[in-house]
Amino acid sequence: MSHQDFLAQHTALTRRYFLQAGVLGLATAPLLASAVANAGEDPAAPPKHVKPDKGGAKLEPYFTPSEDFRDVSRGKPQPHSLPDEKKREVGLTRETWQLEVFSDPDKPAKLLKPMTKAKGTALDFASLLKLGETHAVRFPKVMTCLNLGCPLGMGIWEGVPLREVIWLTQPKDNLRRVFYYGYHNDDPQQMFRSSLPIGRVLEDPADLPPVILCYKLNGEWLDSERGGPVRLVVPEAYGFKSIKWLTHLVLTNLAHANDTYAEQNNDVDSPLKTFAATLVAPTTAKANEPLAVSGYAQVGMAGLAKVQVSLESNATPRPEQDPWFTTAPWVDAELLPVPKQWPVLGNGQVPPATLGFDAAGVPQSWPMRLTKAHWAIVLPGVAAGEYSLRCRTIDLQGHAQPLPRPFQKSGHAAIESIVVKVTA
Ligand SMILES: Nc1nc2c(c(=O)[nH]1)N[C@H]1C(S)=C(S)[C@@H](COP(=O)(O)O)O[C@H]1N2
Ligand SMILES: [Mo]
């Protein structure tokens, strides 16, 4: 099934929902028609009626085609833009890649067998794949930048658990964290570093997938733009923990985080949050005609119980003491079901033994934690005037977005607000 077919199917799901709600043919018909037309012409373009400043907003396949991933990587030049010749020279191809794993000279951990280029013991790509024969895992995950409102892409990430490589160094003592970085043009100023407590690497709390050295995405070799040949992927974390073009792992007795992102005032221990956003929403409407809205939710560590939508007249001022819109007239939206096919994946199938899926390739729970889900709703028509359309998630603990962690530097969860002008 092609990308286009999938978009048609996604639209069909939304359309069926709107049909059941008995509103197709009213105000929603042109809305959906434009979304379908748009999807047919150019799947990468946002449909009309989407707020123009909504970044990657569009009718989207569940998994993101590689050309649609958004890239926020640093570097001058960005490592993936280097000529092939240079990539071979600095180890950014599968044939030339090497990973060094050693003890932190400032806060040493005791290792019997560090892996270094100098000693000829660095790990190469073939040896990583060899480990993969017995240890490889794959899992779905949304990649999201802590500092951006919308996810960069959804994928099935595949690789070897980081702990398998750490065990090769025979660590004995004084190992409390691992920090790691990738190729950065040999310029210390450009180093982008991240870190994890060793406990998170050696075991997987709360049924999380392991932290991996990732070399495949959606069934293909991890490409250079996504951080290939090898990047770290931390399932429950924001993107800055998933270092691209990985070259160095440092095992340390340091007791605290030393991430580059920490220097930029970010909450580096924050796991992915749950939040909702619209993909298709009217900015204008006719009085008394139903309003069709659809969107996505990021399902964070806290899971997703439901998505809600509210439409409030701007004529009445909001209560002053309600920064989180708890008094808005929230109504439940419908979560769209599991897609029937996954066109972005090779032959439309989820690869065998993907964590979170059963033997037939069907998700074991829905929506899946640490991924995206889609939703739709039809709101009854309203009188002429100006309105604010908002959406929010309720997590599995019952917390309404942006709670329980509303701080922006812990990851985006602000409630989206769209102005809708309803005319007579
Ligand atoms: N080496 C390196 N890794 C990096 C970055 C970087 O600038 N350099 N950016 C990080 C940040 S802030 C994010 S959000 C993710 C984005 O991953 P993506 O480009 O695959 O979408 O990569 C992370 N890994
Ligand atoms: Mo980021």
Side-chain angles (χ1 to χ4, degrees):
M1 185 161 85
S2 73
H3 184 178
Q4 249 94 347
D5 291 344
F6 177 86
L7 286 167
Q9 187 189 307
H10 175 101
T11 309
L13 267 175
T14 316
R15 176 186 286 274
R16 192 177 318 138
Y17 170 77
F18 288 144
L19 267 172
Q20 278 162 3
V23 293
L24 214 65
L26 300 176
T28 55
L31 177 109
L32 282 173
S34 84
V36 177
N38 209 309
E41 282 158 28
D42 174 10
K48 290 166 197 146
H49 300 273
V50 165
K51 260 186 22 180
D53 62 345
K54 279 173 55 59
K58 65 192 157 196
L59 281 181
E60 45 183 14
Y62 191 74
F63 292 108
T64 310
S66 60
E67 65 275 14
D68 288 353
F69 255 86
R70 290 181 63 202
D71 185 35
V72 293
S73 32
R74 292 156 184 73
K76 277 193 177 129
Q78 291 177 322
H80 60 78
S81 70
L82 294 170
D84 290 348
E85 171 76 40
K86 180 76 179 169
K87 281 184 183 166
R88 278 192 291 275
E89 185 194 316
V90 301
L92 287 183
T93 65
R94 291 192 292 280
E95 295 69 34
T96 59
W97 179 79
Q98 286 190 299
L99 178 70
E100 298 196 86
V101 192
F102 51 86
S103 170
D104 179 3
D106 296 329
K107 294 268 182 189
K110 189 170 176 204
L111 315 180
L112 297 188
K113 296 212 161 155
M115 304 165 80
T116 62
K117 287 185 185 172
K119 288 205 170 124
T121 53
L123 186 77
D124 62 15
F125 196 77
S127 311
L128 182 63
L129 287 192
K130 190 84 195 142
L131 283 172
E133 286 172 14
T134 43
H135 297 289
V137 294
R138 42 189 90 85
F139 53 84
K141 168 193 169 53
V142 60
M143 188 64 71
T144 300
C145 181
L146 183 142
N147 281 308
L148 293 182
C150 99
L152 305 165
M154 261 284 299
I156 291 183
W157 307 84
E158 175 173 340
V160 170
L162 174 56
R163 53 181 166 262
E164 300 305 334
V165 171
I166 290 181
W167 283 126
L168 293 179
T169 67
Q170 299 189 18
K172 292 296 169 202
D173 238 331
N174 295 341
L175 174 52
R176 291 195 283 180
R177 289 188 79 87
V178 51
F179 64 84
Y180 42 92
Y181 51 91
Y183 179 71
H184 50 280
N185 296 311
D186 300 319
D187 171 6
Q189 296 294 325
Q190 294 190 30
M191 183 192 284
F192 191 82
R193 183 178 59 225
S194 208
S195 75
L196 288 168
I198 195 66
R200 170 59 187 103
V201 176
L202 297 184
E203 67 180 324
D204 304 320
D207 288 332
L208 288 169
V211 175
I212 60 170
L213 298 171
C214 169
Y215 46 78
K216 278 193 174 179
L217 170 60
N218 292 336
E220 307 280 333
W221 292 123
L222 187 71
D223 66 32
S224 193
E225 187 177 306
R226 291 281 71 66
V230 180
R231 80 184 291 178
L232 238 284
V233 173
V234 184
E236 72 279 21
Y238 283 97
F240 68 91
K241 289 277 184 193
S242 294
I243 293 293
K244 298 160 80 169
W245 312 293
L246 186 73
T247 53
H248 292 80
L249 293 177
V250 186
L251 304 184
T252 181
N253 198 25
L254 190 70
H256 58 81
N258 58 354
D259 300 38
T260 301
Y261 242 44
E263 295 154 17
Q264 297 159 17
N265 191 31
N266 295 298
D267 172 5
V268 291
D269 294 323
S270 178
L272 267 185
K273 291 181 183 177
T274 297
F275 76 89
T278 58
L279 289 170
V280 177
T283 51
T284 57
K286 283 252 158 66
N288 303 314
E289 286 193 345
L291 302 156
V293 185
S294 72
Y296 69 90
Q298 173 170 289
V299 186
M301 263 302 269
L304 175 67
K306 58 182 165 185
V307 171
Q308 296 183 314
V309 172
S310 72
L311 187 68
E312 248 185 335
S313 168
N314 289 349
T316 332
R318 295 220 80 261
E320 258 167 42
Q321 296 303 319
D322 186 24
W324 298 317
F325 306 99
T326 55
T327 61
W330 295 107
V331 289
D332 293 355
E334 178 140 318
L335 284 178
L336 299 186
V338 179
K340 292 215 168 57
Q341 276 160 307
W342 318 90
V344 172
L345 307 178
N347 70 21
Q349 304 282 318
V350 172
T354 298
L355 299 177
F357 291 82
D358 68 15
V362 177
Q364 286 161 323
S365 62
W366 192 259
M368 293 184 284
R369 195 166 58 162
L370 310 177
T371 69
K372 285 210 277 189
H374 292 85
W375 53 269
I377 188 170
V378 176
L379 294 166
V382 289
E386 194 188 279
Y387 292 80
S388 289
L389 175 70
R390 299 192 179 89
C391 56
R392 72 173 184 184
T393 50
I394 308 287
D395 73 22
L396 290 177
Q397 304 282 340
H399 295 119
Q401 186 189 332
L403 294 175
R405 295 182 294 127
F407 309 116
Q408 204 214 307
K409 280 302 193 180
S410 305
H412 165 85
I415 290 183
E416 184 194 280
S417 206
I418 293 175
V419 173
V420 186
K421 292 194 170 123
V422 181
T423 50

